[in-house]
Amino acid sequence: RLTFTDQMAKAIFHVLDTRAPYGTYDCTGSGAVKSWADIAKACFGAANGNADRVVPVSTEKYYASAEGPIAPRPRFSALDLSKLESTGFSPRDWEDELAEYLKELRA
């Protein structure tokens, strides 16, 4: 899920203003977890109708020709919003945020 700066700022101020317990809070938009390829398809589809030209590539294939050490990446890296949501903050759906952002870019 994508994270938009307006939601990140609102989450930070919410945690501070409500004096939520000290700790680490994950923050992303809410909604469905998607791959980077799915996100790229949504962007290209909205921008120019070329979503079908986006080709997913595995991490292994992407780094196959890389030289030097590669930092390991988790197979599934969606952040857990439950701690943030337990403070009463509900992030907006990232797909709604993306649609609004892309609409503003085209305006």
Side-chain angles (χ1 to χ4, degrees):
R1 297 177 299 234
L2 297 178
T3 309
F4 287 83
T5 54
D6 66 326
Q7 290 298 290
M8 179 67 75
K10 288 177 183 178
I12 291 169
F13 284 112
H14 174 82
V15 167
L16 294 172
D17 291 344
T18 61
R19 299 184 187 271
Y22 178 80
T24 302
Y25 292 82
D26 292 336
C27 182
T28 67
S30 63
V33 175
K34 302 280 182 123
S35 71
W36 285 113
D38 292 332
I39 294 167
K41 286 180 182 186
C43 292
F44 277 85
N48 56 25
N50 287 330
D52 59 329
R53 298 196 60 191
V54 175
V55 178
V57 176
S58 70
T59 300
E60 292 80 17
K61 188 172 181 179
Y62 184 79
Y63 288 116
S65 63
E67 295 180 20
I70 303 295
R73 296 189 46 92
R75 283 262 180 234
F76 183 76
S77 58
L79 299 179
D80 181 1
L81 299 176
S82 61
K83 185 173 179 181
L84 179 60
E85 291 172 334
S86 75
T87 70
F89 185 81
S90 298
R92 290 191 59 209
D93 185 289
W94 71 266
E95 291 181 270
D96 293 341
E97 288 266 313
L98 178 60
E100 287 178 19
Y101 176 74
L102 293 173
K103 184 177 178 182
E104 287 177 19
L105 284 179
R106 290 185 300 238

